[in-house]
Amino acid sequence: MSTDSEKGDILLEMRDIRIDGFSDERWHEIIKGVDLTLHRGEVLGLIGESGAGKSTLGKAAMGFAQPGCKIKSGSIMFDGLDLASMPEKEKRKLWGSRMAYVAQSAAASFNPAHRLIDQTVEATVGHDINPTEAAKQDAVQLYESLQLPDPDTIGERYPHQVSGGQLQRVMTAMAMSPRPDLIIFDEPTTALDVTTQVEVLVAMRDIVDRFNTAAIYITHDLAVVAQMADKIKVLRYGEEVEEAETRKMLSKPEAEYTKSLWSVRSLEKPEETSDDTVLSIKNVDAAYGNSIKVLHDVSINLPRGKTVAVVGESGSGKSTTARVITGLLPPIGGTVEFNGEPLPAALKQRSKEQLRKIQMIYQMADTAMNPRQTVADIIGRPLEFYHGIKGAARDKRVAELLDMIELDNTFLDRFPGEMSGGQKQRICIARALAAEPEIIICDEVTSALDQIVQEGILRLLLRLQKEFNITYLFITHDIAVVKAISDEIVVMNQGEVVEQGLKSEIFAPPYPDYTKLLLSSVPEMDPDWLDQLLAEREG
């Protein structure tokens, strides 16, 4: 991170920005007179809850209003150019050349039909910044600087042939290829495990420093922004709460709201034990296709009414284990027993009652719900399918389920697009509860949520577990979430269980090497943490 004396001239200056969004058949003001100044080579962290306006403001810095929004007033000066009044045709000459955007979901941002190298250089070649072969040679050097494996050949792969962390680094290379003056990083590490996140943070920071690129880093992770930003701006409800240099903001925030953000991760569940096992995974092997074996002799017990957290890097086998339990991926060896009885391996072989008792909540609520169905239909569907409840009885039960998840009847006629991320995840929880399951598998259900909303979801899950004696299998890469919700922990690496036990046992030193790596990779709210970690590992 740069110091004040190292900052260059002002690159971006936004004054009294007001942006409207269209919903409920009318326009609402969602950015309410915000100012922003960014120098060359400087990184500004934008933080705040879901709906604060972080992404909307970040895109507006490029003179861009996302669908359903319009920049109503204010000035946006980029290196002397007035983006607010510039025709879109002229702005398109800047987008992808002098300005770049790195999205949260790398997987959704690549064309699956084209090789990575071709997509990396597309903007550079299209804007006549470099001819194709020179751009490709430069892309290979960027891959190497971003510590991607096999930089000479990885570009020949397709998006589905690399991991999430690798794809995120390729997207950073794509953004850097034209050597832009400004990059907008929009939650670029949210979906990554902690060890991959460290690699991506180091790579992004090095690239920004090397090319003196200015950046706006949008995130809800305070510890991550502490490693990346020179200064931090806090937003709430489309308004600025405060802005300060990073160290000052972390040590002495002035606004009460900012102080509440700093103290939100205080939730930690006391562990509980139980000898009553509801589900046992016994010596399970699993594979995709005939040759790619991904689970090796996995054995896990789920105590009734408790929470088992499964942690590990991307590709460790966490989600594959969930797919085996639900029958989506029949194992090639071993068994899954539910209440002492073997479960049929494949989903289609299971009875409706067996399906009802094991439910799943997914990471991305957006893609887990039909955007054309109302909340009443989304929650009502399992009531009809599993219990045969229809008509007025169904409506009454849907209302009861909404009350359980702390939402009211005004949500009944809403569509997913009319709700916040936290509200949508609560609806997914209600849908799972509608089946009245004994086990709920939670697959990264809080990773896309800001920390205040995340804490609310975790408290809700803990309350529901206590009320209904539900067993949770909680898949996550967030160690703070593990501390908040788990009784027992399973650590997986490369398809194997490398450690399991009570939370107090797993978090007590001395640690096995892999567990130590995971724990040491959890960012801390200390601007020096990343540098100290790298120094320790190099030493």
Side-chain angles (χ1 to χ4, degrees):
M1 293 184 289
S2 60
T3 63
D4 285 341
S5 61
E6 295 171 332
K7 294 172 186 173
D9 298 332
I10 292 176
L11 176 69
L12 175 71
E13 193 165 24
M14 306 172 72
R15 290 289 174 264
D16 195 26
I17 298 300
R18 297 182 182 274
I19 301 175
D20 285 356
F22 191 80
S23 64
D24 298 329
E25 299 184 353
R26 63 189 181 94
W27 290 95
H28 306 262
E29 193 171 47
I30 54 177
I31 298 292
K32 305 169 184 177
V34 174
D35 296 339
L36 188 152
T37 301
L38 188 67
H39 297 77
R40 292 185 184 277
E42 183 179 50
V43 179
L44 169 68
L46 273 184
I47 67 171
E49 297 175 67
S50 297
K54 305 185 297 294
S55 293
T56 302
L57 185 63
K59 291 171 183 174
M62 303 172 69
F64 177 77
Q66 59 200 36
C69 295
K70 63 181 180 182
I71 301 173
K72 184 172 61 175
S73 63
S75 66
I76 307 169
M77 299 299 297
F78 172 77
D79 197 21
L81 301 172
D82 185 357
L83 299 184
S85 61
M86 182 181 290
E88 183 164 320
K89 183 179 179 180
E90 295 300 311
K91 285 189 285 190
R92 287 187 177 276
K93 295 177 182 178
L94 300 174
W95 296 341
S97 58
R98 298 193 62 194
M99 301 174 174
Y101 179 79
V102 178
Q104 176 177 350
S105 175
S109 302
F110 281 83
N111 187 323
H114 294 281
R115 298 182 190 275
L116 295 174
I117 190 77
D118 295 325
Q119 297 186 66
T120 301
V121 304
E122 182 179 7
T124 302
V125 175
H127 285 282
D128 294 323
I129 296 169
N130 249 338
T132 302
E133 286 309 310
K136 286 185 175 181
Q137 291 174 12
D138 181 66
V140 170
Q141 293 178 357
L142 287 170
Y143 293 160
E144 186 175 8
S145 68
L146 288 161
Q147 298 180 16
L148 281 160
D150 305 315
D152 290 332
T153 58
I154 194 170
E156 297 304 313
R157 301 183 195 178
Y158 291 91
H160 71 277
Q161 294 176 314
V162 298
S163 72
Q166 290 167 354
L167 202 57
Q168 198 65 272
R169 278 176 279 177
V170 173
M171 183 186 282
T172 302
M174 184 194 302
M176 286 306 310
S177 177
R179 302 296 189 269
D181 299 290
L182 172 66
I183 297 182
I184 312 297
F185 291 106
D186 196 350
E187 301 274 14
T189 64
T190 295
L192 304 179
D193 63 71
V194 288
T195 54
T196 304
Q197 178 176 255
V198 167
E199 295 175 3
V200 173
L201 287 176
V202 170
M204 288 190 301
R205 203 172 69 174
D206 287 349
I207 286 287
V208 166
D209 287 345
R210 184 186 310 174
F211 298 114
N212 197 37
T213 306
I216 296 175
Y217 197 97
I218 300 165
T219 184
H220 61 250
D221 192 322
L222 307 176
V224 166
V225 81
Q227 314 312 313
M228 292 295 297
D230 300 298
K231 61 184 180 183
I232 295 173
K233 183 188 289 288
V234 182
L235 296 181
R236 190 184 194 196
Y237 304 142
E239 298 179 297
E240 179 179 317
V241 176
E242 63 177 310
E243 179 182 314
E245 185 271 334
T246 296
R247 292 182 187 276
K248 180 178 183 297
M249 183 73 84
L250 292 173
S251 61
K252 293 181 180 179
E254 295 180 358
E256 289 303 316
Y257 173 71
T258 309
K259 294 175 184 176
S260 74
L261 288 176
W262 269 217
S263 61
V264 75
R265 298 306 292 273
S266 59
L267 182 63
E268 184 162 353
K269 176 189 180 185
E271 69 185 22
E272 299 175 351
T273 60
S274 173
D275 295 327
D276 183 8
T277 299
V278 63
L279 185 133
S280 286
I281 305 166
K282 295 185 176 181
N283 309 111
V284 161
D285 295 327
Y288 292 110
N290 297 321
S291 59
I292 307 174
K293 191 175 179 182
V294 289
L295 293 184
H296 309 269
D297 196 28
V298 170
S299 296
I300 301 171
N301 290 330
L302 302 187
R304 191 181 306 277
K306 309 305 175 191
T307 301
V308 176
V310 183
V311 300
E313 297 174 271
S314 298
S316 63
K318 306 186 300 294
S319 294
T320 301
T321 300
R323 289 172 64 83
V324 168
I325 294 172
T326 56
L328 292 171
L329 180 67
I332 58 175
T335 59
V336 179
E337 294 184 359
F338 181 74
N339 286 326
E341 297 293 327
L343 276 174
L347 181 74
K348 62 183 179 182
Q349 298 170 337
R350 297 184 184 181
S351 67
K352 185 182 289 188
E353 189 66 4
Q354 288 171 328
L355 295 174
R356 179 186 70 79
K357 291 183 178 180
I358 303 176
Q359 294 292 306
M360 192 158 179
I361 305 170
Y362 298 89
Q363 176 179 357
M364 299 303 294
D366 282 322
T367 57
M369 294 188 287
N370 187 327
R372 296 184 177 182
Q373 288 187 343
T374 65
V375 165
D377 291 331
I378 291 167
I379 300 176
R381 170 65 176 156
L383 293 174
E384 294 183 14
F385 181 76
Y386 291 117
H387 305 294
I389 301 175
K390 298 181 180 180
R394 188 196 84 151
D395 295 343
K396 179 182 178 184
R397 182 58 178 160
V398 169
E400 292 171 352
L401 286 161
L402 280 176
D403 185 60
M404 285 182 197
I405 60 167
E406 298 161 10
L407 296 177
D408 58 39
N409 286 350
T410 61
F411 285 83
L412 286 170
D413 296 324
R414 294 194 195 183
F415 293 93
E418 298 174 322
M419 297 181 289
S420 71
Q423 290 166 345
K424 282 183 276 196
Q425 201 59 285
R426 286 175 185 260
I427 298 301
C428 289
I429 293 170
R431 179 173 59 184
L433 287 174
E436 298 180 12
E438 293 186 32
I439 297 171
I440 295 179
I441 300 171
C442 301
D443 192 357
E444 300 279 12
V445 297
T446 60
S447 67
L449 305 176
D450 69 69
Q451 289 169 279
I452 288 179
V453 175
Q454 189 177 99
E455 185 177 26
I457 294 294
L458 294 176
R459 290 189 184 279
L460 171 64
L461 289 169
L462 289 172
R463 177 176 64 78
L464 294 170
Q465 182 176 58
K466 190 172 183 180
E467 287 181 19
F468 302 107
N469 202 36
I470 300 169
T471 302
Y472 293 137
L473 181 71
F474 211 97
I475 297 167
T476 184
H477 61 252
D478 190 327
I479 301 301
V481 168
V482 172
K483 292 179 179 179
I485 202 162
S486 69
D487 298 294
E488 298 184 13
I489 299 172
V490 174
V491 182
M492 296 189 71
N493 184 28
Q494 297 181 350
E496 298 181 356
V497 174
V498 296
E499 190 179 13
Q500 61 181 308
L502 292 172
K503 176 168 59 178
S504 58
E505 297 170 351
I506 302 299
F507 284 147
Y511 307 110
D513 289 343
Y514 183 69
T515 305
K516 183 179 180 180
L517 173 66
L518 287 179
L519 295 176
S520 69
S521 300
V522 179
E524 298 174 6
M525 280 176 51
D526 174 358
D528 299 319
W529 171 83
L530 186 56
D531 292 326
Q532 291 171 352
L533 176 68
L534 295 175
E536 289 172 6
R537 291 183 178 177
E538 289 172 1

